[in-house]
Amino acid sequence: MPQKLERSIAHLFCDASLLQTALTHRSHSSPHNERLEYLGDAALNAVVARLLFERFPELPEGDLSRLRANLVRQDSLHRLAEQLMLGQFLRLGEGELKSGGATRPSILADALEALFGAIWLDAGFDAVSAVIARLYDPLIQAINPAKPMKDAKTRLQELLQGKRLPLPKYALTATEGEAHAQKFRIACVIEKLDICTEGLGASRRAAEQMAAERALEIMEKS
Amino acid sequence: MPQKLERSIAHLFCDASLLQTALTHRSHSSPHNERLEYLGDAALNAVVARLLFERFPELPEGDLSRLRANLVRQDSLHRLAEQLMLGQFLRLGEGELKSGGATRPSILADALEALFGAIWLDAGFDAVSAVIARLYDPLIQAINPAKPMKDAKTRLQELLQGKRLPLPKYALTATEGEAHAQKFRIACVIEKLDICTEGLGASRRAAEQMAAERALEIMEKS
């Protein structure tokens, strides 16, 4: 079975045990894929950073970072994992299997990162770089840097809906400055996740976006 | 002059203009080092991730991530930049120069990351990997994973003191749950930076640590 996966990523493992570990969820057995996921996440960030650097020679650092965050976040990885039909190759514990773990976005995204980590160990950075470049090429070609990505509030809302969590609450906590140069301070609270961030801006909207962006950062890191 | 730097990092640039760009702060001229810093940050994360992965084959992913965050954060980079006497090679605008930019931790840390980015472009990932491994080897050898790192509140306090900013304020915002299983909700507020994070824990101390950890994450990302 995993040979099919090796064909679709165009990498043949020298050490098949690395592939097996990458596909093993912690609910199944040890060694499982969490350490490889940590490694693969780092490789992915570096490779995508460089792909964007080369594709957009004029773009400043901040834009490159935002584009990258967009490409490496869970739902992008999840879609790529689905393309590779990664779910059918996973080794999951019985409980996870029954509760639909093989289609859970976080499990699929993590396994794909673990696969990247395994390739790095198996055949070096250039090898994992080539695999990631092939997978990401259509996504990177499709980027129009002039067109803004979905704004932070929308992305936060979609992320929470995907997790079946209630929407965040935004609350004005202060206004500052003189009337002609007022600044708004807005809190974004996601109670279920114990997240409380703050944004400051020249408009309520701008302050909300900043607060949402910070909440997204916390969610993506955890 | 920069030949001295090339000797101390043991990398001779094929393309000297990359080295020059890495050493050019945006206050001096364009092209400056911000795009290279973005690239070098990604390389650094990946290389340190792998060095730790190999050095600590038994450590779970979460511990590896924490160790890495510790090694790649600004003050570690700043210390390495000082070892390399990077300040004397920087090209700064007049204003920055006069106000002591050449010794500012953020400028030095960013320039070191830019240098890593430049080496990656100049000679490939294995080359930058070797340079980073040499610089970080003593730090990684010195890690005792059994010994906890400084706690988050201490690190946050030190980081703010380094920036001459007032200390964060911690405030109990709620207690939850029955008396025998009470949870504390603590906010950590850094007014000057518009940061407001929250932690939840079985003790005030635990909740404060969580809130401080999140504030550190925001500061390290910004």
Side-chain angles (χ1 to χ4, degrees):
Chain A
M1 275 277 274
Q3 288 87 334
K4 238 171 92 182
L5 180 61
E6 287 180 293
R7 272 201 301 277
S8 46
I9 57 174
H11 177 78
L12 253 146
F13 275 85
C14 302
D15 178 353
S17 75
L18 284 169
L19 173 58
Q20 167 135 323
T21 303
L23 297 172
T24 305
H25 187 255
R26 66 173 300 140
S27 62
H28 182 281
S29 57
S30 235
H32 55 69
N33 65 10
E34 287 185 2
R35 277 172 47 94
L36 289 176
E37 176 210 333
Y38 147 89
L39 201 60
D41 172 79
L44 176 65
N45 268 288
V47 173
V48 171
R50 175 133 187 196
L51 291 171
L52 291 169
F53 182 92
E54 283 171 357
R55 170 97 168 84
F56 301 110
E58 306 298 329
L59 230 46
E61 178 213 7
D63 292 338
L64 292 172
S65 294
R66 266 188 294 280
L67 288 174
R68 180 176 58 165
N70 205 33
L71 288 172
V72 303
R73 62 177 209 254
Q74 187 183 290
D75 67 300
S76 308
L77 282 163
H78 170 215
R79 275 197 293 272
L80 290 172
E82 282 190 327
Q83 274 175 39
L84 297 170
M85 295 182 291
L86 201 56
Q88 57 181 272
F89 305 109
L90 291 183
R91 309 200 310 154
L92 295 165
E94 237 176 285
E96 274 301 346
L97 207 56
K98 283 188 184 150
S99 66
T103 60
R104 203 190 317 283
S106 61
I107 288 182
L108 286 166
D110 291 352
L112 182 55
E113 288 189 324
L115 194 59
F116 297 149
I119 298 168
W120 188 7
L121 291 178
D122 190 59
F125 194 82
D126 290 344
V128 67
S129 189
V131 169
I132 293 172
R134 272 194 301 273
L135 284 172
Y136 271 89
D137 186 59
L139 302 179
I140 288 175
Q141 294 306 325
I143 292 172
N144 177 352
K147 185 177 132 253
M149 295 171 292
K150 278 183 190 172
D151 69 47
K153 276 182 73 178
T154 308
R155 282 189 287 133
L156 182 59
Q157 178 173 331
E158 289 175 357
L159 185 60
L160 291 168
Q161 282 168 339
K163 294 178 189 282
R164 292 156 197 262
L165 287 168
L167 296 186
K169 287 178 190 147
Y170 296 91
L172 183 69
T173 55
T175 54
E176 296 174 5
E178 313 274 312
H180 65 279
Q182 220 167 19
K183 291 233 169 186
F184 299 87
R185 195 179 283 277
I186 298 265
C188 168
V189 179
I190 310 170
E191 269 188 24
K192 285 260 178 181
L193 302 177
D194 301 315
I195 289 175
C196 151
T197 58
E198 228 180 25
L200 184 72
S203 68
R204 275 172 178 255
R205 205 193 111 76
E208 284 175 3
Q209 292 295 346
M210 190 201 281
E213 189 72 58
R214 287 174 171 176
L216 277 168
E217 281 172 13
I218 291 174
M219 285 186 67
E220 279 161 6
K221 286 203 108 180
S222 62
Chain B
M1 275 277 274
Q3 289 86 332
K4 236 169 93 183
L5 179 60
E6 288 180 293
R7 272 200 301 277
S8 45
I9 58 173
H11 176 78
L12 253 145
F13 276 85
C14 303
D15 178 352
S17 75
L18 284 169
L19 173 58
Q20 168 136 324
T21 303
L23 297 174
T24 306
H25 187 255
R26 67 172 301 139
S27 62
H28 182 280
S29 58
S30 235
H32 54 69
N33 65 11
E34 288 186 2
R35 279 172 48 93
L36 288 176
E37 175 209 335
Y38 147 89
L39 202 59
D41 172 78
L44 175 65
N45 269 286
V47 173
V48 171
R50 175 133 187 196
L51 292 171
L52 291 170
F53 181 93
E54 284 171 357
R55 169 95 167 86
F56 301 111
E58 306 298 329
L59 230 46
E61 177 212 9
D63 292 338
L64 292 171
S65 294
R66 265 187 295 280
L67 288 175
R68 179 175 59 164
N70 205 33
L71 287 172
V72 303
R73 63 176 208 254
Q74 186 183 292
D75 67 299
S76 308
L77 282 162
H78 170 215
R79 274 196 294 270
L80 290 172
E82 282 190 327
Q83 273 175 38
L84 297 170
M85 293 181 291
L86 201 56
Q88 57 181 273
F89 305 109
L90 291 183
R91 307 199 313 153
L92 295 166
E94 236 176 286
E96 274 301 347
L97 206 55
K98 281 188 187 151
S99 67
T103 58
R104 204 189 317 283
S106 61
I107 288 182
L108 286 167
D110 292 353
L112 182 55
E113 287 189 324
L115 194 60
F116 297 149
I119 298 168
W120 188 7
L121 291 178
D122 189 60
F125 195 81
D126 290 343
V128 67
S129 190
V131 169
I132 293 171
R134 272 193 301 274
L135 283 173
Y136 271 90
D137 186 59
L139 301 179
I140 289 177
Q141 294 308 324
I143 292 172
N144 177 354
K147 184 177 133 250
M149 295 170 295
K150 280 182 189 172
D151 69 48
K153 278 182 70 178
T154 307
R155 283 189 287 131
L156 181 59
Q157 178 174 332
E158 289 176 357
L159 185 59
L160 291 168
Q161 282 168 337
K163 294 177 187 285
R164 291 157 197 262
L165 287 167
L167 296 186
K169 286 178 189 146
Y170 295 92
L172 183 68
T173 56
T175 53
E176 294 173 5
E178 313 274 313
H180 65 281
Q182 221 169 17
K183 291 232 170 189
F184 299 87
R185 194 180 283 277
I186 298 266
C188 167
V189 179
I190 310 171
E191 269 187 25
K192 285 261 177 179
L193 303 177
D194 301 315
I195 289 175
C196 151
T197 59
E198 228 180 25
L200 183 72
S203 68
R204 278 175 177 251
R205 203 193 112 77
E208 285 175 1
Q209 291 295 345
M210 190 200 282
E213 189 71 57
R214 288 174 170 177
L216 277 168
E217 281 172 14
I218 292 175
M219 287 187 65
E220 278 161 6
K221 284 202 111 179
S222 61

Short mmCIF file of all heavy atoms in Angstrom, two decimals, chain A residues 74-102:
data_model
loop_
_atom_site.label_atom_id
_atom_site.label_comp_id
_atom_site.label_asym_id
_atom_site.label_seq_id
_atom_site.Cartn_x
_atom_site.Cartn_y
_atom_site.Cartn_z
N GLN A 74 -2.72 24.62 8.94
CA GLN A 74 -3.34 23.29 8.94
C GLN A 74 -4.25 23.03 7.75
O GLN A 74 -4.21 21.96 7.15
CB GLN A 74 -4.11 23.09 10.24
CG GLN A 74 -4.64 21.68 10.38
CD GLN A 74 -5.47 21.53 11.64
OE1 GLN A 74 -4.96 21.56 12.75
NE2 GLN A 74 -6.77 21.38 11.48
N ASP A 75 -5.08 23.99 7.38
CA ASP A 75 -6.04 23.62 6.34
C ASP A 75 -5.39 23.49 4.96
O ASP A 75 -5.86 22.70 4.14
CB ASP A 75 -7.29 24.51 6.34
CG ASP A 75 -7.00 25.92 5.96
OD1 ASP A 75 -6.20 26.54 6.66
OD2 ASP A 75 -7.56 26.40 4.96
N SER A 76 -4.28 24.19 4.71
CA SER A 76 -3.56 23.95 3.45
C SER A 76 -2.95 22.55 3.46
O SER A 76 -3.04 21.80 2.47
CB SER A 76 -2.44 24.97 3.25
OG SER A 76 -2.93 26.28 3.38
N LEU A 77 -2.34 22.19 4.57
CA LEU A 77 -1.74 20.86 4.68
C LEU A 77 -2.79 19.77 4.57
O LEU A 77 -2.58 18.73 3.95
CB LEU A 77 -1.02 20.74 6.03
CG LEU A 77 0.34 21.41 6.11
CD1 LEU A 77 0.77 21.59 7.56
CD2 LEU A 77 1.38 20.58 5.38
N HIS A 78 -3.92 20.03 5.20
CA HIS A 78 -5.01 19.06 5.17
C HIS A 78 -5.46 18.79 3.73
O HIS A 78 -5.63 17.65 3.32
CB HIS A 78 -6.17 19.61 6.02
CG HIS A 78 -7.44 18.84 5.89
ND1 HIS A 78 -8.68 19.44 5.94
CD2 HIS A 78 -7.67 17.53 5.69
CE1 HIS A 78 -9.61 18.52 5.76
NE2 HIS A 78 -9.04 17.36 5.63
N ARG A 79 -5.58 19.85 2.94
CA ARG A 79 -6.00 19.67 1.54
C ARG A 79 -4.96 18.87 0.76
O ARG A 79 -5.31 17.99 -0.03
CB ARG A 79 -6.24 21.03 0.88
CG ARG A 79 -7.66 21.57 1.13
CD ARG A 79 -8.02 22.68 0.16
NE ARG A 79 -7.20 23.85 0.38
CZ ARG A 79 -7.51 24.83 1.24
NH1 ARG A 79 -8.62 24.76 1.95
NH2 ARG A 79 -6.74 25.88 1.37
N LEU A 80 -3.69 19.17 0.99
CA LEU A 80 -2.65 18.41 0.29
C LEU A 80 -2.67 16.94 0.73
O LEU A 80 -2.52 16.04 -0.09
CB LEU A 80 -1.27 19.02 0.58
CG LEU A 80 -1.00 20.38 -0.07
CD1 LEU A 80 0.30 20.97 0.45
CD2 LEU A 80 -0.95 20.25 -1.59
N ALA A 81 -2.88 16.73 2.02
CA ALA A 81 -2.94 15.34 2.52
C ALA A 81 -4.10 14.59 1.87
O ALA A 81 -3.99 13.40 1.55
CB ALA A 81 -3.09 15.34 4.04
N GLU A 82 -5.20 15.29 1.66
CA GLU A 82 -6.34 14.64 1.00
C GLU A 82 -6.02 14.29 -0.45
O GLU A 82 -6.38 13.23 -0.93
CB GLU A 82 -7.57 15.55 1.07
CG GLU A 82 -8.22 15.50 2.44
CD GLU A 82 -9.57 16.20 2.45
OE1 GLU A 82 -9.72 17.19 1.70
OE2 GLU A 82 -10.45 15.77 3.21
N GLN A 83 -5.35 15.22 -1.13
CA GLN A 83 -4.93 14.92 -2.51
C GLN A 83 -4.11 13.64 -2.58
O GLN A 83 -4.22 12.86 -3.51
CB GLN A 83 -4.02 16.03 -3.04
CG GLN A 83 -4.70 17.21 -3.66
CD GLN A 83 -3.65 18.27 -4.02
OE1 GLN A 83 -2.55 17.97 -4.47
NE2 GLN A 83 -4.00 19.53 -3.81
N LEU A 84 -3.26 13.45 -1.57
CA LEU A 84 -2.39 12.27 -1.55
C LEU A 84 -3.11 11.05 -0.98
O LEU A 84 -2.53 9.98 -0.89
CB LEU A 84 -1.14 12.55 -0.70
CG LEU A 84 -0.21 13.66 -1.17
CD1 LEU A 84 0.83 13.96 -0.11
CD2 LEU A 84 0.47 13.24 -2.48
N MET A 85 -4.36 11.24 -0.60
CA MET A 85 -5.14 10.18 0.05
C MET A 85 -4.38 9.58 1.23
O MET A 85 -4.33 8.36 1.42
CB MET A 85 -5.55 9.13 -0.96
CG MET A 85 -6.51 9.75 -1.99
SD MET A 85 -7.09 8.56 -3.20
CE MET A 85 -5.61 8.25 -4.12
N LEU A 86 -3.79 10.46 2.00
CA LEU A 86 -2.92 10.04 3.10
C LEU A 86 -3.70 9.25 4.15
O LEU A 86 -3.14 8.36 4.80
CB LEU A 86 -2.31 11.31 3.74
CG LEU A 86 -1.05 11.16 4.55
CD1 LEU A 86 0.05 10.50 3.74
CD2 LEU A 86 -0.56 12.54 5.03
N GLY A 87 -4.98 9.57 4.31
CA GLY A 87 -5.80 8.92 5.34
C GLY A 87 -5.79 7.41 5.24
O GLY A 87 -5.74 6.71 6.26
N GLN A 88 -5.78 6.89 4.03
CA GLN A 88 -5.85 5.43 3.90
C GLN A 88 -4.54 4.73 4.25
O GLN A 88 -4.50 3.52 4.40
CB GLN A 88 -6.32 5.03 2.50
CG GLN A 88 -5.45 5.57 1.37
CD GLN A 88 -5.97 5.15 0.00
OE1 GLN A 88 -5.63 4.11 -0.52
NE2 GLN A 88 -6.85 5.98 -0.55
N PHE A 89 -3.46 5.50 4.39
CA PHE A 89 -2.19 4.89 4.74
C PHE A 89 -1.85 5.00 6.23
O PHE A 89 -0.87 4.45 6.70
CB PHE A 89 -1.05 5.53 3.93
CG PHE A 89 -1.29 5.49 2.45
CD1 PHE A 89 -1.59 6.65 1.74
CD2 PHE A 89 -1.22 4.29 1.75
CE1 PHE A 89 -1.82 6.62 0.39
CE2 PHE A 89 -1.44 4.25 0.39
CZ PHE A 89 -1.75 5.41 -0.30
N LEU A 90 -2.68 5.75 6.96
CA LEU A 90 -2.36 6.01 8.37
C LEU A 90 -2.57 4.77 9.23
O LEU A 90 -3.46 3.97 8.99
CB LEU A 90 -3.25 7.13 8.91
CG LEU A 90 -2.99 8.53 8.36
CD1 LEU A 90 -3.90 9.52 9.07
CD2 LEU A 90 -1.53 8.91 8.55
N ARG A 91 -1.76 4.68 10.26
CA ARG A 91 -1.94 3.63 11.27
C ARG A 91 -2.46 4.29 12.54
O ARG A 91 -1.73 5.03 13.21
CB ARG A 91 -0.63 2.91 11.52
CG ARG A 91 0.02 2.45 10.19
CD ARG A 91 1.04 1.37 10.36
NE ARG A 91 2.02 1.67 11.38
CZ ARG A 91 2.68 0.73 12.05
NH1 ARG A 91 2.43 -0.55 11.81
NH2 ARG A 91 3.57 1.07 12.94
N LEU A 92 -3.73 4.05 12.82
CA LEU A 92 -4.40 4.70 13.95
C LEU A 92 -4.84 3.67 14.98
O LEU A 92 -5.14 2.52 14.62
CB LEU A 92 -5.65 5.44 13.46
CG LEU A 92 -5.45 6.60 12.50
CD1 LEU A 92 -6.76 6.97 11.83
CD2 LEU A 92 -4.87 7.80 13.24
N GLY A 93 -4.91 4.10 16.23
CA GLY A 93 -5.47 3.24 17.27
C GLY A 93 -6.95 3.00 16.99
O GLY A 93 -7.58 3.74 16.23
N GLU A 94 -7.49 1.97 17.64
CA GLU A 94 -8.87 1.59 17.34
C GLU A 94 -9.87 2.72 17.62
O GLU A 94 -10.77 2.98 16.82
CB GLU A 94 -9.25 0.37 18.18
CG GLU A 94 -9.72 -0.80 17.31
CD GLU A 94 -10.00 -2.02 18.16
OE1 GLU A 94 -9.03 -2.66 18.61
OE2 GLU A 94 -11.19 -2.30 18.40
N GLY A 95 -9.68 3.36 18.75
CA GLY A 95 -10.58 4.45 19.12
C GLY A 95 -10.59 5.55 18.08
O GLY A 95 -11.65 6.00 17.62
N GLU A 96 -9.39 5.97 17.67
CA GLU A 96 -9.25 7.03 16.66
C GLU A 96 -9.89 6.60 15.34
O GLU A 96 -10.53 7.37 14.64
CB GLU A 96 -7.78 7.35 16.40
CG GLU A 96 -7.15 8.35 17.31
CD GLU A 96 -7.83 9.71 17.30
OE1 GLU A 96 -8.66 10.01 16.42
OE2 GLU A 96 -7.54 10.48 18.22
N LEU A 97 -9.65 5.34 15.01
CA LEU A 97 -10.15 4.82 13.75
C LEU A 97 -11.68 4.92 13.73
O LEU A 97 -12.28 5.41 12.77
CB LEU A 97 -9.71 3.36 13.61
CG LEU A 97 -9.56 2.81 12.20
CD1 LEU A 97 -8.60 3.65 11.39
CD2 LEU A 97 -9.03 1.37 12.27
N LYS A 98 -12.29 4.47 14.82
CA LYS A 98 -13.75 4.47 14.89
C LYS A 98 -14.32 5.86 14.91
O LYS A 98 -15.41 6.11 14.38
CB LYS A 98 -14.20 3.70 16.15
CG LYS A 98 -14.09 2.19 15.96
CD LYS A 98 -14.73 1.46 17.14
CE LYS A 98 -14.53 -0.04 16.99
NZ LYS A 98 -14.44 -0.71 18.30
N SER A 99 -13.61 6.79 15.54
CA SER A 99 -14.17 8.14 15.62
C SER A 99 -13.78 8.99 14.41
O SER A 99 -13.89 10.22 14.45
CB SER A 99 -13.71 8.82 16.92
OG SER A 99 -12.33 9.01 16.88
N GLY A 100 -13.30 8.35 13.36
CA GLY A 100 -13.04 9.09 12.12
C GLY A 100 -11.71 9.80 12.08
O GLY A 100 -11.54 10.79 11.36
N GLY A 101 -10.74 9.33 12.84
CA GLY A 101 -9.43 9.97 12.89
C GLY A 101 -8.76 10.09 11.52
O GLY A 101 -8.02 11.03 11.26
N ALA A 102 -9.05 9.14 10.64
CA ALA A 102 -8.37 9.12 9.33
C ALA A 102 -8.81 10.27 8.43
O ALA A 102 -8.20 10.51 7.40
CB ALA A 102 -8.62 7.78 8.63
#
